[in-house]
Amino acid sequence: MLLGLGPAYLRQWRIVPVADAAGALRVLAAERPADHVLDDLRWAYGGGAVEVELVDEADLEVALQRAEEEHGETAATLIASLDPAPVAEEESVGEGDLLARAQEAPVVRLVNLLLLEALAARASDLHLEAGRGRVAVRYRVDGVLVDAPTPPLALVPAVIGRLKVMAELDVAERRRPQDGRVRLRLEERSVDVRVSTLPTLHGESVVLRLLESEGRRLGLAELGMAEDTRTRFESLLSAPHGVLLTTGPTGSGKTTTLYAALEQIRTGREKIITVEDPVEYALDRVAQVPVNRKAGVTFASALRSILRQDPDVILVGEMRDRETAEICVQAALTGHLVLSTLHTNDAPGALVRLIDLAVEPYLVTSTVEGVLAQRLVRVVCRACAQDEPIGAQTAQELERAGFPAERVVRGRGCPACRGTGYRGRTGVYELLVVTDPVRDEVMRGRGSSALRELALAAGMRPLRSDGWRQVAAGVTTPEEVLRVAR
């Protein structure tokens, strides 16, 4: 391919460079490329001038397909073709050297191929981890890390430098953590990439969170909730005021659930405002406020201003501290519906956690209407799924949970699931509805164990039992349930 820039890079940025008879460089594009893309082309072309020629999307697609036919390349084949220079000591690599190497054509191609292949694999994160005399690149696919093509150790500083350039971070700073972001365009998809660097014993660790900002949001019916759980949750969402919480560890799908809840609520007749860190997906007719600590915009400070914006529904990305929790409770008391998240292991623990944040028990019982705890389990790949006899212990677990079954479904592993046997994820849930008996126990200062016993007696299905529901339905495997809900 012309200029040594692979077709994956050209497709990502929607450009096709063409050299004319006079040796000048023209770039075909449907819209003017970003400045850093033009800089990449200048570096690759030797510093010459670059002229942009705007063409129709259809003509650009034809040119991109032709480029792909002329030169097929993957991250693995590119890495195999590289002949890296000897590894330099970290302290001897200056800012100018890193900037230069980060713009070299092989480094540009490699970084973009890794990103494109991560997106093709449906990865949520890309990890680049330094160790003693080695480096590892891994993708997080369906919540589990899998190995990816790894560049030569000598190129790692340049690869990290390239990522820092894209995220507008300090290339020379390798002793402090840094955070940045970059927006990528892949065909018709817009992808936000959050870049985090962390100094470690043997070099920098870099993690990229990949967020498809224009991706289709899921509705409540698509999240994997049992019908009875979804019906009760929708009933809670129809309340005119109160607090609804989702709980679970990082990466358990809480934000996705809250967005689905907003889609359920939204009719166009109400004012909805969110405060998030960061805003992950753009929502129509919703005022979304990103947290910006450098500018003094925290969850608490944003909430105080939001209450003066005449909202009906408020979504708070996370109740992290006492001030945020108190403002959310006060907002619910004054007639607002507040949706938020907490990091607790189960639904009853959220009520205790609010009291730990110094919210008065009477305020908790007056405002919190329900708590939804959740986890994500991997879904068996439909392309290679097969029935297997069920083990005795699993059969007993299913029987106790009320979902007897004679066989389970597992994936053999195929190209569609990259040999894992799983493709995609779904949720398992437990929903605690705050009833008068639960409120009485909270006021008595009872702990989460007592609240859990009361909720189970009232019919709450625990996370693990809901996981067995998914196993009996052939959606996931017993191993996945045990992994997320021990």
Side-chain angles (χ1 to χ4, degrees):
M1 185 61 209
L2 181 65
L3 309 179
L5 294 173
Y9 177 86
L10 305 185
R11 181 165 286 280
Q12 177 185 355
W13 297 109
R14 306 291 291 169
I15 58 172
V16 177
V18 179
D20 61 23
L25 178 66
R26 290 185 297 119
V27 178
L28 307 182
E31 58 184 32
R32 181 173 175 78
D35 289 340
H36 70 84
V37 176
L38 297 177
D39 289 339
D40 292 344
L41 292 168
R42 292 188 188 96
W43 275 95
Y45 194 63
V50 176
E51 297 178 1
V52 178
E53 180 180 337
L54 298 180
V55 297
D56 293 334
E57 278 286 350
D59 294 337
L60 179 63
E61 184 60 32
V62 171
L64 285 168
Q65 291 177 1
R66 188 174 301 142
E68 289 169 342
E69 292 170 359
E70 293 174 358
H71 185 97
E73 184 175 54
T74 66
T77 58
L78 175 57
I79 289 169
S81 69
L82 296 176
D83 183 18
V87 181
E89 293 294 330
E90 183 180 356
E91 294 299 327
S92 69
V93 180
E95 178 179 4
D97 297 324
L98 275 179
L99 281 171
R101 296 197 71 192
Q103 301 289 356
E104 290 175 357
V107 173
V108 171
R109 287 154 52 200
L110 177 56
V111 168
N112 286 283
L113 283 169
L114 288 172
L115 286 168
L116 285 168
E117 291 177 14
L119 292 168
R122 302 174 297 105
S124 60
D125 303 84
L126 187 156
H127 292 241
L128 195 154
E129 305 159 340
R132 181 184 292 275
R134 63 170 180 80
V135 66
V137 177
R138 298 191 288 176
Y139 300 149
R140 187 176 293 279
V141 180
D142 294 333
V144 177
L145 289 173
V146 297
D147 291 334
T150 299
L153 190 61
L155 284 184
V156 170
V159 169
I160 294 176
R162 170 63 183 165
L163 292 170
K164 288 181 177 180
V165 168
M166 293 174 66
E168 299 182 353
L169 301 179
D170 185 348
V171 177
E173 179 56 70
R174 299 187 292 277
R175 296 181 179 179
R176 290 189 299 107
Q178 296 188 75
D179 294 290
R181 65 188 303 167
V182 60
R183 172 162 291 185
L184 306 178
R185 190 76 187 174
L186 175 63
E187 297 178 339
E188 299 303 317
R189 299 157 59 190
S190 179
V191 182
D192 283 326
V193 182
R194 289 167 20 208
V195 182
S196 172
T197 70
L198 182 71
T200 67
L201 181 62
H202 300 294
E204 287 184 282
S205 170
V206 182
V207 175
L208 282 66
R209 168 63 57 89
L210 310 176
L211 298 168
E212 192 169 347
S213 56
E214 296 176 2
R216 185 180 70 88
R217 255 75 66 194
L218 299 178
L220 286 177
E222 302 170 273
L223 298 182
M225 286 187 194
E227 188 67 28
D228 56 346
T229 301
R230 181 164 62 89
T231 299
R232 291 199 301 272
F233 188 62
E234 289 176 346
S235 176
L236 293 173
L237 288 171
S238 65
H241 53 78
V243 175
L244 292 180
L245 298 171
T246 61
T247 75
T250 300
S252 59
K254 299 187 297 297
T255 300
T256 298
T257 298
L258 290 182
Y259 279 11
L262 288 185
E263 292 289 347
Q264 180 75 19
I265 294 170
R266 188 174 58 180
T267 65
R269 297 188 298 271
E270 60 285 300
K271 175 78 168 185
I272 301 176
I273 305 180
T274 76
V275 52
E276 306 170 64
D277 184 20
V279 174
E280 295 193 5
Y281 302 104
L283 300 174
D284 292 335
R285 293 193 175 188
V286 175
Q288 295 175 271
V289 181
V291 168
N292 186 341
R293 291 177 181 81
K294 292 181 179 178
V297 181
T298 64
F299 280 114
S301 65
L303 273 171
R304 282 192 291 270
S305 298
I306 284 172
L307 291 176
R308 296 191 289 271
Q309 291 281 309
D310 187 31
D312 298 296
V313 180
I314 302 171
L315 186 152
V316 182
E318 183 181 344
M319 289 191 189
R320 294 181 177 175
D321 51 46
R322 172 183 177 179
E323 188 178 11
T324 303
E326 287 182 341
I327 298 173
C328 287
V329 167
Q330 291 297 331
L333 284 174
T334 54
H336 304 88
L337 180 62
V338 180
L339 311 179
S340 190
T341 71
L342 274 175
H343 287 288
T344 61
N345 290 327
D346 59 8
L351 302 176
V352 178
R353 175 62 179 150
L354 284 177
I355 295 173
D356 290 342
L357 289 173
V359 178
E360 293 293 339
Y362 77 90
L363 292 176
V364 173
T365 58
S366 300
T367 57
V368 179
E369 299 294 330
V371 183
L372 182 75
Q374 63 182 83
R375 301 290 189 276
L376 292 179
V377 293
R378 291 183 290 175
V379 173
V380 174
C381 176
R382 295 297 107 188
C384 60
Q386 61 181 11
D387 288 351
E388 292 184 1
I390 200 167
Q393 185 173 353
T394 301
Q396 291 175 5
E397 289 265 16
L398 287 164
E399 185 75 33
R400 282 197 296 268
F403 301 101
E406 297 181 355
R407 303 182 72 82
V408 295
V409 178
R410 285 190 174 86
R412 298 187 308 272
C414 65
C417 60
R418 302 168 68 93
T420 65
Y422 300 97
R423 183 173 174 83
R425 289 189 289 177
T426 192
V428 295
Y429 304 88
E430 68 177 24
L431 177 61
L432 168 65
V433 178
V434 181
T435 59
D436 288 339
V438 172
R439 292 186 176 95
D440 292 341
E441 293 302 301
V442 172
M443 291 299 296
R444 293 189 182 103
R446 303 295 292 273
S448 61
S449 296
L451 295 175
R452 184 171 187 80
E453 290 178 5
L454 185 61
L456 291 173
M460 182 184 78
R461 183 186 301 114
L463 281 168
R464 186 155 164 164
S465 293
D466 199 53
W468 294 128
R469 171 185 66 86
Q470 298 280 40
V471 172
V475 174
T476 191
T477 63
E479 292 79 11
E480 279 296 288
V481 175
L482 295 175
R483 179 176 68 88
V484 304
R486 293 187 180 277

